[in-house]
Amino acid sequence: MACNNCSSSFTCLVASSTNAKRHTSRFKLNASQIQYSRPTEIKRDWVEQDHQSLLLASPQTFTVASYNILAVRNASQHSDLYVNVPSRYIHWNRRKTVICNELFGWNPDIICLQEVDKYFELSDILVKAGYAGSYKRRTGDSVDGCAMFWKADKFRLLEGESIQFKDIGLRDNVAQLSVFEMCESDSRRLLVGNIHVLYNPNMGEVKLGQIRFLLSRAQYLSKKWGNTPVVLAGDFNSTPQSGIYKFLSSSELNIMLYDRKELSGQKRCRPAHVLGMNKETVGPLVILDGLLKCWTDEEVEIATGDSGCHLAVHPLKLNSSYATVNGSTNTRGFNGEPLATSYHSKFLGTVDYLWYSDGIVPIRVLDTLPISDLVRAGGLPCKKVGSDHLALVSEFSFSDAMINPQT
Ligand code: KL2
């Protein structure tokens, strides 16, 4: 047990925010509780936005899901990540059924998937259920990619764009952008982005470069189609405590305040640390006095777009759905984001987000799970979760009144 003060196995989970929060009792759970109080099933609850914030919401709503579904090839190539998971939960045929049942239960209008390497198997099922879809495979040797599905009777695709970051020298990752019009109201348009950011925890500059490029294309398309609101879904391979998160949420980041190898926060989310089973605790963010030696001119140029400029900026004003809608206290951590959207033997933390711009507001989100439930389930995938990530699902409403106030 790392924490002598409260003998909690989860004390270090919140240590990255403040010391004051370190000895919270929220995550108290000991080994015998884990063993003897197994829940019969994993249950996720919808949580609503408070009434005050909904006054300006329009009656037209839509629901978006973001889900990294764990590519079949990644599950077998990185089998060390799933040593504690029964093999039946890893098998694709079973996972495919679980994933589709999860999605059908939430009934999203737009589905953004990452790590898709069986696109046609999924589209066979989803098209029969009334969705249309598009796919962008990663470049290089990878066989997985991003896929977007939308309900064909609710949205019409006006324009679709696929981004392969290789074209701008930023690795083999891909992203998608789609401009939709609501079938029942052609004045309601929406731009949806879907990205799976580079995994490599050391390459913060590439992650920033990929996100900057996606956001500049999103801004371009949004303007082109009449300043349409934006939803940006994906696996950003960056935690809520990270510089990358700060960049997304505040639209700028002075990269010199960060070590580029720590820019994503991923290295601070090993399960043993998060669960407090390791002597080494999770410390505060690495902020190195503006004197960092670890950025070459080339890395600065990738990160900010200009080797002479240390400030990375993006043109959108983004908020995170989950951070906006309060959840249960035992599912949320730093910034109000989920404590965990991904769990395997080397990572326990949050990397998935549903960002949104002005012009729309989240009216409810599907809460994630308490860490204790994930631990009791024995890891992910499990009986009721088809991937090593949890899907994020949020219902949004258009909010014209907020962007066009009468003066
Ligand atoms: O973190 V992920 O899983 O969003 O869930 O994105 C990448 C990782 C995905 C695509 O590259 O494959 C996983 N150790 C652990 N996971 C890895 C590694 C690795 N070395 N390389 C790729 N992935």
Side-chain angles (χ1 to χ4, degrees), residues 68 74 78 81 115 138 196 199 235 237 389:
N68 176 324
N74 287 345
H78 301 289
L81 306 181
E115 286 202 34
R138 284 202 282 161
H196 187 188
Y199 164 74
D235 174 348
N237 269 316
H389 288 245

Side-chain angles (χ1 to χ4, degrees), residues 32-250:
S32 61
Q33 283 171 308
I34 292 171
Q35 203 170 346
Y36 296 120
S37 56
R38 286 175 185 275
T40 46
E41 66 178 60
I42 293 243
K43 193 174 164 299
R44 294 184 60 181
D45 298 317
W46 286 97
V47 285
E48 315 270 332
Q49 176 64 301
D50 62 66
H51 292 293
Q52 192 69 31
S53 318
L54 294 181
L55 290 175
L56 299 170
S58 83
Q60 271 150 336
T61 73
F62 58 91
T63 302
V64 183
S66 180
Y67 199 1
N68 176 324
I69 61 167
L70 176 57
V72 175
R73 196 203 268 188
N74 287 345
S76 65
Q77 274 183 348
H78 301 289
S79 54
D80 53 316
L81 306 181
Y82 312 102
V83 278
N84 300 320
V85 176
S87 59
R88 63 184 181 283
Y89 296 149
I90 299 287
H91 284 146
W92 169 242
N93 277 344
R94 180 175 181 137
R95 290 204 296 115
K96 178 172 61 177
T97 305
V98 173
I99 288 164
C100 289
N101 286 340
E102 286 183 281
L103 290 170
F104 292 145
W106 304 320
N107 196 25
D109 300 306
I110 297 169
I111 302 171
C112 296
L113 303 177
Q114 306 86 38
E115 286 202 34
V116 177
D117 58 0
K118 302 283 176 191
Y119 175 73
F120 291 108
E121 289 187 35
L122 289 170
S123 71
D124 273 354
I125 298 169
L126 291 171
V127 165
K128 284 187 186 113
Y131 290 90
S134 69
Y135 179 60
K136 177 60 191 168
R137 186 178 145 167
R138 284 202 282 161
T139 53
D141 296 334
S142 323
V143 292
D144 68 287
C146 292
M148 213 185 277
F149 293 93
W150 58 96
K151 279 195 186 154
D153 63 355
K154 182 148 179 172
F155 286 104
R156 216 179 354 259
L157 182 67
L158 295 176
E159 182 171 357
E161 181 171 309
S162 293
I163 294 171
Q164 41 181 54
F165 291 106
K166 191 187 179 141
D167 293 347
I168 53 166
L170 294 182
R171 313 290 288 234
D172 286 319
N173 305 81
V174 296
Q176 300 176 293
L177 287 166
S178 302
V179 184
F180 295 111
E181 188 164 76
M182 273 187 134
C183 298
E184 65 183 38
S185 165
D186 56 14
S187 63
R188 295 294 192 195
R189 287 180 183 161
L190 177 68
L191 171 61
V192 182
N194 181 26
I195 186 170
H196 187 188
V197 171
L198 177 72
Y199 164 74
N200 192 330
N202 292 325
M203 305 194 81
E205 78 284 13
V206 174
K207 293 173 195 259
L208 257 186
Q210 291 180 346
I211 296 168
R212 271 195 316 106
F213 187 75
L214 175 68
L215 297 182
S216 71
R217 291 305 302 164
Q219 158 82 349
Y220 168 81
L221 282 174
S222 167
K223 267 202 156 149
K224 175 177 170 185
W225 290 96
N227 290 323
T228 172
V230 179
V231 170
L232 195 60
D235 174 348
F236 290 76
N237 269 316
S238 308
T239 69
Q241 293 90 347
S242 68
I244 300 277
Y245 183 96
K246 189 167 190 294
F247 172 69
L248 278 151
S249 57
S250 66

